[in-house]
Amino acid sequence: MPTFASSDQIRDQFSRAMSAMYKTEVPQYGTLLDLVADINRATLADDGALRAQLETADELRRLDVERHGAIRLGTARELADMRRIFRVMGMHPVGYYDLSVAGVPVHATAFRPVDDAALRTNPFRVFTSLLRLELIADPALREEAQAILARRAIFTPRALALTALAEEAGGLTKAQAAEFVQEVTQTFRWHSEATVSHARYRQLHAAHRLVADVVSFKGPHINHLTPRTLDIDAAQAEMPRRGIAAKEVVEGPPRRKHAILLRQTSFKALEEPIVFADDGADGSHSARFGEIEQRGMALTRAGRALYDELLAGVRSMQGAGSASADYSERLAAAFRDFPDDLDQLLERGLAFFRWRVLDADGLARVAASGAPFDLQALRAKGLVAASPIVYEDFLPVSAAGIFQSNLGGAEQKSYAANAAQEAFEAALGAPVADEIALYAQSQQASIDTVRAQYQAAVLSR
Ligand code: OOG
Ligand code: NI
């Protein structure tokens, strides 16, 4: 048996390779990384409680490497191969995101590690969209786009060969893994040469800027990589000081004592020179941008429903896009109805928690007394503790806000809301995992571990 590189190692190498590549391609991304590293250092120095909490959860280790990226694919075949490739790195499709509601003709999933140990090592995630050509109104243009996409091959032959090898052999040796990472990274490079003429590009662009972005190029360039900050308001304030034009408002929930879900901000996409296929005509295209995010706790279905309801209330008010002047105040006001207290979040079942034993002897004594297993009672006695589980996924409304800010406010197409999860999964060749079920499993596994320890004490009584 050869020794295989673990999928965690391959993913870690891949995320580092992508980060190094994007840094050379988009120097402002490097500035963003420095900014986030500085803010995280300062935040950890100032906030001992936060540091302790991250240490307990073994989360400090991953913070420096933690990123997500985003790509946009053109065909079912590309998506299916993408799934096979990400699987070699321990990244699996989680969640379904319908962005047509936001006027963006794509639907998406997030490829990410799913088990707790893999997430702790390197939680690299890639938000992966699939273009929905059926949403292009003009049938001639739709067919043309389809034909253009059918001609391209976004993966190198070697990347596909190594993927097949990994599938057959059950893994890749260290040398093969290094080559695999090298080959797969090529797919996400920037190409300043379009595969289409300038005229065709303009036609695609008129259908939707995103259609042009997906169809006009050789491959799905990575369009941003996002580091995780511990204080997004500080990061937002710091961006202009470092010469980065930040988006007006932070997407997601307002600032709170106990962060929930995900808050994100970004800088606008760069206008980049492009050489078109016909006469070498010059033009430009904007696709690539920078983003920063702060992650909070994962919410249960009840918590998520409350979040969606409160956010919708703020967003649906007259002229109340996230760009309006008093948005932050209205958002904060609306979210006063979302408890910002760990006991309440736990007791009302709004968030997911990971349980652990604090005092094994004390636990054993209670178990030996014959008391039935009661987590809340054990917690009240200080024998076990519960800490929030980090949200590892995305938010469609925020994603839409980020898409919109990059498309320039003018681009507001509307499509009827038409989630098509089945069609997406058919293209993918597999169902997507339900993210809420994954958090629930993770919470339950931690409870089971505490319970097993309790029962062992009962038996050895
Ligand atoms: C993806 C936008 C979604 C996020 O952080 O919500 C995303 C895209 O622009 O392709 O990355
Ligand atoms: Ni993003």
Side-chain angles (χ1 to χ4, degrees):
M1 264 299 263
T3 340
F4 291 137
S6 72
S7 54
D8 287 350
Q9 285 166 340
I10 304 177
R11 180 177 64 262
D12 188 50
Q13 282 171 26
F14 176 66
S15 84
R16 289 169 198 271
M18 290 291 284
S19 189
M21 182 177 85
Y22 202 55
K23 225 163 152 172
T24 61
E25 289 186 347
V26 179
Q28 280 204 74
Y29 166 66
T31 310
L32 218 57
L33 289 185
D34 293 341
L35 181 160
V36 167
D38 290 347
I39 284 174
N40 288 355
R41 210 175 300 116
T43 308
L44 287 171
D46 283 359
D47 190 341
L50 178 65
R51 170 179 275 279
Q53 183 202 315
L54 292 171
E55 249 160 23
T56 308
D58 193 12
E59 241 189 275
L60 271 187
R61 220 157 36 100
R62 73 180 221 184
L63 190 63
D64 292 337
V65 294
E66 180 160 357
R67 319 252 183 275
H68 83 251
I71 56 169
R72 302 157 186 166
L73 302 175
T75 67
R77 169 77 189 282
E78 291 173 1
L79 182 65
D81 283 336
M82 197 70 260
R83 176 174 78 91
R84 296 172 53 219
I85 289 170
F86 279 142
R87 193 170 51 189
V88 175
M89 310 186 213
M91 295 160 76
H92 307 280
V94 178
Y96 172 75
Y97 301 87
D98 169 26
L99 293 170
S100 66
V101 283
V104 182
V106 304
H107 45 184
T109 190
F111 286 94
R112 67 162 176 90
V114 292
D115 69 79
D116 294 340
L119 285 164
R120 278 197 300 271
T121 306
N122 185 328
F124 191 52
R125 339 168 164 77
V126 178
F127 191 92
T128 303
S129 302
L130 176 64
L131 184 61
R132 296 177 71 178
L133 282 178
E134 76 272 18
L135 299 181
I136 297 185
D138 174 358
L141 187 64
R142 193 161 57 216
E143 264 169 47
E144 186 58 41
Q146 221 151 22
I148 295 167
L149 287 170
R151 285 197 290 271
R152 76 178 188 179
I154 64 170
F155 302 108
T156 67
R158 188 67 185 147
L160 291 171
L162 285 165
T163 302
L165 187 72
E167 288 167 346
E168 279 155 31
L172 296 174
T173 65
K174 289 212 157 65
Q176 289 165 343
E179 194 191 358
F180 172 80
V181 165
Q182 175 74 24
E183 290 288 331
V184 172
T185 308
Q186 301 313 311
T187 296
F188 307 110
R189 261 187 201 300
W190 176 247
H191 299 279
S192 55
E193 304 86 31
T195 57
V196 300
S197 70
H198 204 180
R200 178 72 70 211
Y201 173 86
R202 277 194 300 262
Q203 259 184 324
L204 295 165
H205 196 282
H208 197 293
R209 192 148 156 181
L210 225 78
V211 174
D213 183 55
V214 176
V215 178
S216 311
F217 297 92
K218 218 178 123 189
H221 36 258
I222 179 94
N223 66 53
H224 66 286
L225 273 181
T226 304
R228 176 177 170 195
T229 179
L230 296 174
D231 185 344
I232 199 158
D233 300 293
Q236 174 85 343
E238 184 63 18
M239 278 163 77
R241 283 186 219 128
R242 301 206 188 188
I244 301 175
K247 171 177 185 308
E248 288 76 15
V249 302
V250 174
E251 297 288 340
R255 186 178 185 88
R256 299 158 47 92
K257 187 141 69 76
H258 299 287
I260 53 171
L261 300 173
L262 180 63
R263 300 182 68 209
Q264 299 179 309
T265 184
S266 61
F267 65 75
K268 296 223 163 74
L270 314 170
E271 197 68 39
E272 300 180 275
I274 298 294
V275 177
F276 289 94
D278 38 354
D279 40 3
D282 290 329
S284 68
H285 177 68
S286 71
R288 302 190 301 165
F289 62 100
E291 184 187 51
I292 299 179
E293 68 190 7
Q294 179 175 0
R295 291 193 169 261
M297 64 187 91
L299 301 183
T300 60
R301 279 187 218 286
R304 180 53 189 267
L306 180 58
Y307 170 82
D308 286 338
E309 181 195 320
L310 297 179
L311 188 70
V314 180
R315 290 213 164 226
S316 63
M317 287 179 218
Q318 270 280 283
S322 64
S324 72
D326 61 344
Y327 179 73
S328 302
E329 287 89 74
R330 286 187 297 105
L331 184 70
F335 273 81
R336 272 181 217 127
D337 292 338
F338 205 113
D340 195 6
D341 167 276
L342 284 185
D343 288 337
Q344 272 200 57
L345 289 163
L346 182 94
E347 281 150 26
R348 288 178 53 183
L350 294 172
F352 286 110
F353 289 82
R354 189 168 284 122
W355 293 79
R356 67 183 191 283
V357 174
L358 280 184
D359 175 354
D361 293 340
L363 186 78
R365 273 193 299 277
V366 176
S369 77
F373 181 72
D374 179 345
L375 267 182
Q376 299 292 352
L378 295 171
R379 181 164 173 271
K381 290 196 175 77
L383 303 175
V384 302
S387 23
I389 295 179
V390 182
Y391 188 60
E392 305 285 356
D393 294 286
F394 295 85
L395 295 171
V397 176
S398 299
I402 303 269
F403 266 115
Q404 290 307 345
S405 93
N406 283 304
L407 295 172
E411 184 100 13
Q412 271 283 10
K413 302 252 155 61
S414 53
Y415 304 102
N418 50 358
Q421 184 166 344
E422 270 177 38
F424 185 84
E425 291 177 332
L428 183 67
V432 299
D434 171 5
E435 68 279 11
I436 309 256
L438 292 175
Y439 298 117
Q441 260 168 39
S442 185
Q443 172 174 277
Q444 192 56 48
S446 74
I447 295 173
D448 291 345
T449 305
V450 174
R451 190 199 305 269
Q453 197 169 332
Y454 192 88
Q455 273 157 0
V458 172
L459 292 177
S460 68
R461 175 147 66 122

